[in-house]
Amino acid sequence: MDQDTIGVIGSGSWATAIVKILTNNSNNINWWIREPEIIENILNFKHNSLYLSSVEFDVGKLSISNDIVEVIKKSDIIVFCVPAPFLSDALVNCSSEFLKNKIIVSAIKGIVPNYNVTIADYFNQQFKVPYENIVIASGPSHAEEVAAEKLTYLTFASQNNEIATNVALKFACRYIKTSTSDDIFGTEYAPVLKNIIAIACGICHGLGYGDNFQAVLVSNAIQEIKRFVDAVHPIDRDINSSVYLGDLLVTAYSHFSRNRLFGTMIGNGYSVKAAQLEMKMIAEGYYAVKCIKEINKSYKVYMPITDAVYNIVYENITPVIEMRILADQLT
């Protein structure tokens, strides 16, 4: 099998952007899309009609299927882009044997609900994929900007530097700069936490807090992220590098951020359910905050921002009250 054969799992904005990136360096991308109507649209019109419709594909480079087992079997490197809450359902017909000797790349910034584990832990525990065969793709990278070919920096983390470097080369192109890391746990947990922080930023924005308070919130947030990732995986890392701080900033401030939008709607008075229905997209932070709250029972890290978001979205505490309490805890 061609060692450059890559499979992409998912059909949303980030999956669509990643397929666009990968076609710069490969003439053979296997792409799993669940919805037959999206497949038909791409094959007939060269666009994903539901996500990033401005992106035009060279369909000659794509082998698209709604059979996930087929795509996995045909691919050596498999990039997962489905939202974390849907990952276990997508893999329901897959076994450990199908993923044996595969390189798993997670482009998912979330935690698998019900399991309360990161994507790397999920593949390791449920499918026996060695951590050395897992790569975490992260960094400040809105799909909309990637689609527009705006300069973007991605970090690929793996305990096997050779594998991380190889995967990074697959993504590197004119508008994608890449680097590698060995911090697979920090580069997974930090994006999960930044989605929660973005919800808090959105809530504050919806409530009418200004830029001054948002700056304090975000500066406290990176300290909260550092406390947690240092407790979970205490290694020497620079929390101010782009894969941590940069990813937090872009999600906390950008109008492309679905987690910030979700929070803004709640701050504007929407119920959680109403916000979810109107967005028609997944705000990973909603699921993540419940998982992190549960995981933190073991570590007991001081996480006032995470606690505030949890109280609002799961305990139905009034955002005005909860944010006043949080404001007294920030420095």
Side-chain angles (χ1 to χ4, degrees), residues 95-322:
S95 68
S96 301
E97 187 62 28
F98 296 151
L99 296 176
K100 188 176 181 179
N101 298 323
K102 306 289 187 179
I103 303 303
I104 303 300
V105 180
S106 171
I108 305 169
K109 297 180 178 181
I111 286 184
V112 185
N114 300 324
Y115 294 87
N116 279 352
V117 294
T118 62
I119 308 303
D121 286 336
Y122 175 76
F123 278 107
N124 177 259
Q125 295 169 16
Q126 301 301 317
F127 294 94
K128 299 180 174 58
V129 178
Y131 284 113
E132 292 77 11
N133 287 359
I134 297 173
V135 179
I136 307 304
S138 193
S141 49
H142 282 310
E144 294 83 356
E145 292 200 354
V146 171
E149 300 188 358
K150 293 185 180 294
L151 186 60
T152 299
Y153 290 69
L154 294 177
T155 298
F156 295 86
S158 175
Q159 293 181 347
N160 186 320
N161 185 63
E162 183 179 349
I163 288 176
T165 301
N166 182 42
V167 172
L169 287 172
K170 303 289 187 286
F171 282 76
C173 64
R174 175 177 53 81
Y175 54 93
I176 301 292
K177 304 292 186 184
T178 63
S179 61
T180 61
S181 167
D182 63 355
D183 184 17
I184 66 169
F185 299 104
T187 54
E188 275 221 277
Y189 273 115
V192 169
L193 293 167
K194 61 95 181 182
N195 283 336
I196 298 170
I197 303 304
I199 293 176
C201 290
I203 292 171
C204 292
H205 178 69
L207 290 173
Y209 286 82
D211 292 344
N212 294 342
F213 179 75
Q214 291 275 354
V216 172
L217 179 64
V218 173
S219 61
N220 277 260
I222 194 62
Q223 297 174 49
E224 184 166 314
I225 292 172
K226 178 174 172 53
R227 287 194 297 270
F228 186 82
V229 296
D230 284 352
V232 171
H233 188 54
I235 64 170
D236 183 22
R237 61 171 64 85
D238 181 5
I239 202 68
N240 294 318
S241 64
S242 63
V243 72
Y244 311 106
L245 179 57
D247 201 17
L248 169 64
L249 293 175
V250 76
T251 308
Y253 287 107
S254 175
H255 65 280
F256 288 128
S257 169
R258 63 188 64 179
N259 288 282
R260 179 183 166 91
L261 173 60
F262 177 69
T264 299
M265 294 172 76
I266 292 174
N268 283 333
Y270 282 74
S271 67
V272 168
K273 190 160 191 67
Q276 290 173 319
L277 288 171
E278 184 156 325
M279 281 182 62
K280 300 178 182 178
M281 295 186 295
I282 295 295
E284 292 269 21
Y286 166 75
Y287 299 93
V289 70
K290 186 176 182 181
C291 297
I292 291 293
K293 184 78 172 176
E294 188 66 28
I295 293 168
N296 196 38
K297 289 180 180 178
S298 300
Y299 296 100
K300 297 179 172 55
V301 175
Y302 176 58
M303 305 182 75
I305 305 173
T306 299
D307 290 342
V309 173
Y310 178 85
N311 289 340
I312 291 170
V313 300
Y314 283 99
E315 299 294 342
N316 296 317
I317 304 297
T318 304
V320 171
I321 295 173
E322 190 62 41

Side-chain angles (χ1 to χ4, degrees), residues 49-96:
S49 57
L50 293 183
Y51 302 97
L52 302 183
S53 57
S54 63
V55 174
E56 181 172 334
F57 293 105
D58 179 350
V59 295
K61 295 183 176 183
L62 305 178
S63 176
I64 309 176
S65 172
N66 63 357
D67 184 344
I68 193 170
V69 173
E70 176 191 349
V71 170
I72 288 174
K73 285 183 175 180
K74 289 167 56 178
S75 307
D76 293 297
I77 300 171
I78 308 162
V79 184
F80 285 86
C81 308
V82 297
F86 304 148
L87 181 61
S88 58
D89 287 342
L91 292 170
V92 69
N93 293 321
C94 295
S95 68
S96 301

